Amino acid sequence: MTLQAINSGVALERDRIGRERDSQLNDLRTRYELLSPRERKVLKLASAGLLNKQIGDKMKLSEVTVQIHRRIVMHTLGAKSLPDLVRLADALGVAPRSGARS
């Protein structure tokens, strides 16, 4: 009986964690939808490892404009650092595959 109670508690905890993760991902997707198409492109290129200057060259934007877009993206998605931004892009499924640069 005790083992069954423990297993039940473990299952409930896994379910709670899964629902919490789903809720966080839905919140992230909602925030992603607030980004403009240009901001989404900056997110994709930044998560590919490109520097602001390289992103600007690809998108025909000044480096300062890319910095502004990147700051907005980080604020909107709640990223505190570039690695955090890459992790969020990966969770959203918008990060390029390993080794691929767009």
Side-chain angles (χ1 to χ4, degrees):
M1 195 75 144
T2 305
L3 184 58
Q4 186 178 15
I6 291 172
N7 286 338
S8 178
V10 169
L12 287 172
E13 181 65 11
R14 283 185 187 154
D15 182 59
R16 183 192 65 76
I17 291 170
R19 282 185 281 115
E20 185 176 302
R21 186 176 42 238
D22 290 346
S23 175
Q24 290 172 348
L25 186 56
N26 286 335
D27 179 53
L28 181 60
R29 286 183 181 135
T30 300
R31 288 182 278 137
Y32 176 76
E33 293 298 320
L34 297 173
L35 298 176
S36 70
R38 188 178 276 183
E39 291 163 348
R40 291 177 190 183
K41 181 72 172 176
V42 168
L43 169 62
K44 185 174 183 178
L45 294 172
S47 66
L50 271 66
L51 303 172
N52 290 339
K53 184 173 180 111
Q54 293 169 317
I55 295 170
D57 287 345
K58 277 191 172 285
M59 295 181 66
K60 308 291 189 249
L61 301 171
S62 74
E63 186 175 354
V64 172
T65 301
V66 172
Q67 290 170 349
I68 292 168
H69 285 310
R70 189 164 160 175
R71 190 173 320 130
I72 291 169
V73 168
M74 291 186 72
H75 176 75
T76 302
L77 296 182
K80 304 215 182 328
S81 64
L82 180 58
D84 196 23
L85 187 65
V86 172
R87 182 185 59 79
L88 293 173
D90 188 48
L92 287 165
V94 297
R97 298 204 187 271
S98 179
R101 286 196 170 183
S102 296

